[in-house]
Amino acid sequence: MDRPKICERRDLNLKATELRLGLPGMDEPENQSTSCTARSNKRPSPEVAEDCGSWTNNSRICDADRDGEVQDRTPPAKSQIVGWPPLRSYRKNNLPKKSTDDGGGLYVKVSMDGAPYLRKIDLRVYKSYPQLLVALETLFKVTVAQYSEMDGFNGSDYAPTYVDKDGDWMLLGDVPWKMFVSSCKRLRIMRSSEAKGLSCQ
Amino acid sequence: MGENRAEVPGCGGDSQPPCPDQVLENVLENVLRFLTSRRDRNAVSLVCKSWYLAEALTRSELFIGNCYAVSARRATERFRRVNSVVLKGKPRFADFSLMPLIWGAHFTPWLTAFAAAYPWLEKIHLKRMSITDDDLAQISHSFPHFKELTLVCCDGFGTSGLAILASKCRQLRVLDLIEDEVEDDDVVDWLSCFPDNGTCLESLSFDCVELPINFDALERLVARSPNLKQLRLNQFVSIGQLYRLIVRAPQLTHLGTGSFSPPESWVPGEQEPDYRAAFAACSSLVYLSGFREIVPDYLPAIYPVCGNLTSLNFSYANLNAEELKAVVCHCYKLQTLWVLDTVRDEGLEAVATTCKDLTELRVFPIDAREDSEGFVSEVGLIAIAEGCRKLQSILYFCQRMTNAAVIAMSEKCHDLVVFRLCIMGRHRPDHLTNEPMDEGFGAIVMNCKKLTRLAVSGLLTDRAFGYIGKYGNSVRTLSIAFAGDSDMALKYVLEGCSNLQKLEIRDSPFGDSALRAGLHHYYNMRFLWMSSCKITLEGSREISKALPQLVVEVFRSGLAAVRDEDEFVDTLYMYRSLEGPRNDAPTHVRIL
């Protein structure tokens, strides 16, 4: 698309600065589509107001159990609709965990066998089992150790256990940290002798 | 690169002065170089052929809002001197899993054309496109002056492509990866690939790269990047590591803080560095984001910089009202704030008290389900309306809202340009009066004269759309979901909103008759999206026949093809195009 030479351009000059209704990018005026005439002149026929609830025939609904399958069906009240609310999946997948109570920490009660008091700690403050154990030792002024196949309770008097959301007593350390945080309902520091019963399961 | 017109043969050689026409052209081109707005340039190009040519030669940034509206060949033939391209691909509803996984928007054909036409290319900005590692390698080979790559909501590439880019593009200033889906099959230590003797980096954003990084390499990179002003880290950077970076780069203006928590191996009681002092040394910091796994105990570290902050993104931080208040009470210059609804109405009240210059607010839900407990309501919205009079843009997710609150915002925030309210429960009315949300949204379009983008939700009758059609003349982007009673609603919009460019609708009772009402306008729009509405295959075909330069695509969300016997269409996506139907559509996408 080089410029034409000057002398040739003299002849085309008028055309280059011509003002007209066609688009200047084309040599011929563009054949404007007759779309305006295609618009329906008919009065819209009155539509019967649809019951909003029946709308869901075409909506894609997936089961709340998130098995990854999408099936078309009319939803029970609490099913999830695909893509609603409109949050990018990147954001949805990276949201922090909601807490169970006040929107801040995840507080669980901690008791120790033989101690006449209960404490409450915020599980969210800790990032790993070692951190939690240090905190428990500080709180109750005892040595607490996780169970391991090799060392048993490592000579300490106490063993940390917890109740999970199914109501079962578990030894600390059985499951990955994040899973523990989301399922732990209560902590109990047991005497090692009693905890041995748990470890045999 | 410019032609020296005085030496054009046939003009009698150098001794003759340039011809008057030529002078005029030179003047025109020199004046047009100053014109940066693409809308102004589009207007200029329509004046006459000479201006069209001059504009084409002086346009340096090429913006293509829909990669299928025009071909790479046509674009590169018209615009010869481009050094920066912006390309957008998929429509926004693709972000919400409403599109088939395989659809299109491939960068490769564009790249091939750019490599041939613009070897001097410096900047590429893509949104919702697929770009491969091979493309990244190609960029490195084809453009010796390449300086800036920004990828927003893109996919198809991984760390191997990043490694090639880092090592080969010696003049790279900007590498911003924003909310991309980065492949994780093959983890390459790309941060080690930047040139050893120093980089020109000014901005590096990789918060969306969800892979561990080589921290030592990053630390060395920051140390040898003296021009680095913007650094956005991913969640694999602990607060201790963050400390090490910011003490080396106190000149930073924009910081994405990574996890903002100690590493898993950290033991409480261990000596910790003076985070507060490190932040205090960053006297130019105006933007903070990240906080991906925040431990709120560390928040006081940022107090020293709050007074300078203009932008704060806490949208991944589970903070309660008290924690937010403690930060925001110092942020009197804040203009942009993104938070989670965990801060509650009370947190928003604190924002309204201090942040008088706030122009953009986004409140995201921590529990993004229809039936979740919402933590913010009309109370927060009213507080913001009363406190933040300069508000221009709001995105608000909630479970309870009232017309009164929305009306209040329309009356107090005259500068509103973007109003997006998402009442998460479908078809929810005003929770105090039980009325539809018609009056609230009506007030927004009536009172906010600068409004260009609107997203509606809650229980809405045709009346709401009557308001939008009547008063929403400036609206360019409209999002509708689970709303309206009948075709009339869509007709009001299509007949009334003469500046409408992007219309995305889902799960609303609009059929073929309503679709026909927009025939006069579809060529003026970038696209129309309608999914789970009452559009039939026949109705879609009619539109396609009536408007030959409209590409009408129909598909489902999965990979099943649309059959001729289907009566209703799952999804209709249509857009104007100079090229006719694209040749890269997968089989499950039917183009009528």
Side-chain angles (χ1 to χ4, degrees):
Chain A
M1 203 185 70
D2 293 319
R3 290 185 173 280
K5 297 179 185 170
I6 287 287
C7 30
E8 283 171 36
R9 212 172 47 209
R10 270 199 211 287
D11 301 330
L12 291 173
N13 196 37
L14 286 176
K15 226 180 170 188
T17 51
E18 180 189 358
L19 298 177
R20 55 182 191 167
L21 292 175
L23 289 175
M26 309 294 204
D27 283 325
E28 277 135 26
E30 186 164 284
N31 203 3
Q32 291 295 333
S33 81
T34 51
S35 57
C36 35
T37 59
R39 178 181 169 179
S40 171
N41 288 328
K42 293 188 271 198
R43 254 177 189 288
S45 55
E47 294 279 347
V48 173
E50 290 280 346
D51 172 23
C52 299
S54 67
W55 256 112
T56 47
N57 291 338
N58 286 347
S59 301
R60 272 161 257 111
I61 316 260
C62 58
D63 274 326
D65 64 7
R66 297 170 204 270
D67 60 0
E69 283 188 301
V70 177
Q71 293 158 358
D72 276 8
R73 65 166 91 117
T74 29
K78 305 281 184 180
S79 280
Q80 306 264 26
I81 304 275
V82 173
W84 186 262
L87 217 60
R88 284 191 191 142
S89 40
Y90 175 78
R91 187 170 281 285
K92 252 190 202 161
N93 295 337
N94 285 289
L95 286 173
K97 287 191 189 51
K98 343 173 260 307
S99 83
T100 49
D101 32 43
D102 63 354
L106 184 57
Y107 289 93
V108 295
K109 287 187 191 159
V110 190
S111 64
M112 187 170 81
D113 290 355
Y117 53 86
L118 279 182
R119 301 305 276 275
K120 250 191 164 187
I121 59 167
D122 179 358
L123 282 183
R124 284 201 198 291
V125 169
Y126 310 102
K127 295 276 150 189
S128 64
Y129 287 118
Q131 281 181 28
L132 176 60
L133 288 179
V134 165
L136 292 176
E137 287 184 336
T138 316
L139 265 182
F140 291 95
K141 314 276 187 278
V142 290
T143 47
V144 181
Q146 272 177 260
Y147 176 80
S148 73
E149 293 289 340
M150 286 241 279
D151 308 346
F153 288 106
N154 209 17
S156 70
D157 297 330
Y158 292 92
T161 63
Y162 68 102
V163 180
D164 70 2
K165 55 182 173 217
D166 297 325
D168 299 324
W169 279 108
M170 310 277 283
L171 277 179
L172 219 69
D174 277 354
V175 302
W177 173 256
K178 286 195 166 135
M179 200 186 290
F180 161 75
V181 171
S182 60
S183 63
C184 172
K185 290 292 164 214
R186 201 178 176 307
L187 277 165
R188 177 180 159 197
I189 303 179
M190 273 176 143
R191 295 203 176 79
S192 310
S193 43
E194 286 180 67
K196 279 192 171 60
L198 278 179
S199 69
C200 294
Q201 283 165 15
Chain B
M1 280 182 309
E3 299 159 21
N4 187 340
R5 283 183 199 86
E7 289 167 58
V8 171
C11 206
D14 295 334
S15 54
Q16 289 214 354
C19 318
D21 303 321
Q22 196 185 19
V23 169
L24 199 62
E25 257 160 44
N26 285 353
V27 168
L28 185 60
E29 283 182 26
N30 280 303
V31 168
L32 288 183
R33 276 178 220 286
F34 293 100
L35 215 57
T36 45
S37 149
R38 65 176 191 269
R39 293 197 174 92
D40 289 345
R41 283 186 158 275
N42 292 346
V44 158
S45 71
L46 293 175
V47 169
C48 62
K49 190 147 192 173
S50 157
W51 283 47
Y52 171 90
L53 292 171
E55 191 284 312
L57 279 178
T58 55
R59 189 180 294 223
S60 59
E61 181 179 285
L62 182 62
F63 174 92
I64 310 252
N66 175 0
C67 64
Y68 289 120
V70 68
S71 69
R73 190 180 57 85
R74 191 186 291 262
T76 54
E77 275 176 5
R78 177 175 168 186
F79 300 107
R80 296 300 184 98
R81 305 267 176 83
V82 165
N83 62 22
S84 165
V85 292
V86 179
L87 254 186
K88 297 189 180 181
K90 297 181 209 170
R92 198 175 74 97
F93 274 13
D95 293 350
F96 313 129
S97 312
L98 292 178
M99 253 185 143
L101 284 175
I102 302 169
W103 178 78
H106 303 287
F107 184 50
T108 313
W110 286 91
L111 181 55
T112 308
F114 293 153
Y118 310 136
W120 48 77
L121 193 68
E122 294 182 358
K123 300 186 198 178
I124 293 175
H125 179 126
L126 304 182
K127 187 167 187 178
R128 293 196 191 93
M129 303 261 327
S130 287
I131 173 169
T132 63
D133 285 337
D134 285 342
D135 291 335
L136 290 173
Q138 176 80 0
I139 290 173
S140 317
H141 298 140
S142 309
F143 307 120
H145 301 285
F146 193 69
K147 297 190 168 65
E148 298 189 17
L149 180 67
T150 305
L151 302 178
V152 181
C153 299
C154 295
D155 60 15
F157 66 99
T159 46
S160 22
L162 294 177
I164 302 178
L165 198 78
S167 71
K168 296 251 159 49
C169 293
R170 302 259 141 175
Q171 295 188 37
L172 196 66
R173 292 194 299 224
V174 172
L175 177 58
D176 283 345
L177 305 172
I178 299 169
E179 294 193 38
D180 305 307
E181 293 258 3
V182 180
E183 307 278 321
D184 55 8
D185 331 318
D186 170 32
V187 186
V188 171
D189 180 9
W190 59 284
L191 284 169
S192 299
C193 297
F194 285 94
D196 284 329
N197 53 351
T199 76
C200 316
L201 279 177
E202 294 171 16
S203 176
L204 177 63
S205 305
F206 58 93
D207 12 18
C208 62
V209 181
E210 294 179 3
L211 297 164
I213 51 152
N214 177 345
F215 179 74
D216 290 332
L218 176 61
E219 194 174 10
R220 287 193 300 272
L221 176 63
V222 169
R224 66 181 190 278
S225 303
N227 297 332
L228 195 66
K229 289 284 189 317
Q230 307 197 17
L231 179 63
R232 281 168 259 233
L233 308 165
N234 69 11
Q235 75 258 49
F236 291 90
V237 177
S238 70
I239 193 170
Q241 291 172 327
L242 174 68
Y243 174 86
R244 283 160 60 181
L245 294 175
I246 64 180
V247 296
R248 285 184 184 283
Q251 77 279 7
L252 287 175
T253 57
H254 292 59
L255 178 64
T257 59
S259 70
F260 213 72
S261 67
E264 301 229 352
S265 58
W266 173 78
V267 175
E270 212 172 63
Q271 179 67 26
E272 287 196 283
D274 190 349
Y275 297 119
R276 201 177 166 125
F279 273 97
C282 296
S283 51
S284 312
L285 215 49
V286 294
Y287 167 107
L288 278 180
S289 68
F291 307 105
R292 298 291 294 269
E293 287 163 16
I294 189 172
V295 172
D297 306 69
Y298 291 101
L299 266 181
I302 69 169
Y303 293 168
V305 295
C306 287
N308 287 331
L309 285 183
T310 55
S311 181
L312 183 53
N313 181 348
F314 273 146
S315 64
Y316 292 100
N318 183 340
L319 297 178
N320 61 28
E322 286 311 312
E323 287 156 352
L324 180 70
K325 264 191 216 180
V327 172
V328 136
C329 66
H330 305 289
C331 298
Y332 58 93
K333 285 192 192 165
L334 206 61
Q335 292 168 20
T336 300
L337 177 65
W338 293 19
V339 289
L340 281 176
D341 63 356
T342 52
V343 303
R344 296 182 184 259
D345 291 326
E346 207 189 323
L348 296 178
E349 282 165 349
V351 171
T353 307
T354 315
C355 306
K356 297 301 180 190
D357 284 344
L358 201 70
T359 54
E360 179 180 325
L361 175 68
R362 295 195 195 190
V363 182
F364 294 99
I366 190 163
D367 187 355
R369 291 175 303 164
E370 265 196 280
D371 50 352
S372 66
E373 181 195 348
F375 296 112
V376 295
S377 69
E378 73 278 3
V379 173
L381 195 72
I382 292 177
I384 294 290
E386 284 175 357
C388 305
R389 297 302 184 90
K390 298 185 190 174
L391 199 66
Q392 293 173 18
S393 170
I394 183 164
L395 170 61
Y396 199 87
F397 283 85
C398 59
Q399 292 286 22
R400 301 183 303 288
M401 188 45 60
T402 62
N403 281 305
V406 179
I407 292 171
M409 178 155 274
S410 78
E411 288 169 350
K412 314 236 163 161
C413 300
H414 292 132
D415 293 336
L416 268 181
V417 174
V418 175
F419 184 80
R420 297 156 71 193
L421 177 63
C422 182
I423 302 170
M424 292 190 279
R426 290 169 293 152
H427 313 302
R428 281 240 178 109
D430 175 323
H431 81 100
L432 289 181
T433 65
N434 246 3
E435 304 266 291
M437 291 299 300
D438 298 343
E439 299 307 312
F441 286 105
I444 291 285
V445 285
M446 262 188 264
N447 298 334
C448 302
K449 312 275 187 239
K450 302 181 191 175
L451 197 77
T452 58
R453 184 171 178 185
L454 179 64
V456 301
S457 61
L459 180 64
L460 291 169
T461 70
D462 289 349
R463 192 185 180 86
F465 298 96
Y467 289 136
I468 294 173
K470 185 168 179 189
Y471 299 104
N473 200 44
S474 51
V475 173
R476 297 205 293 255
T477 306
L478 181 60
S479 305
I480 301 172
F482 305 100
D485 300 323
S486 74
D487 280 0
M488 284 314 299
L490 183 55
K491 284 180 187 174
Y492 290 140
V493 168
L494 290 170
E495 289 167 7
C497 300
S498 52
N499 280 306
L500 196 61
Q501 286 170 20
K502 298 185 265 187
L503 181 55
E504 40 188 38
I505 305 175
R506 64 168 294 182
D507 295 276
S508 300
F510 310 141
D512 299 339
S513 162
L515 199 60
R516 278 194 285 274
L519 283 169
H520 67 291
H521 189 62
Y522 294 137
Y523 278 160
N524 296 332
M525 291 177 64
R526 189 179 296 171
F527 70 81
L528 168 66
W529 167 291
M530 290 181 72
S531 56
S532 304
C533 298
K534 287 176 86 181
I535 306 295
T536 67
L537 197 55
E538 200 38 56
S540 312
R541 274 205 190 95
E542 253 188 70
I543 302 293
S544 165
K545 284 196 192 103
L547 299 176
Q549 288 190 303
L550 206 64
V551 173
V552 179
E553 298 193 7
V554 292
F555 47 83
R556 309 188 137 145
S557 62
L559 295 179
V562 172
R563 301 158 305 175
D564 284 332
E565 317 85 75
D566 291 346
E567 190 194 350
F568 288 101
V569 147
D570 261 10
T571 304
L572 168 73
Y573 176 55
M574 56 194 218
Y575 50 89
R576 63 185 172 187
S577 174
L578 293 173
E579 314 301 340
R582 57 192 174 107
N583 55 11
D584 64 353
T587 44
H588 49 272
V589 173
R590 183 98 169 255
I591 302 184
L592 301 177

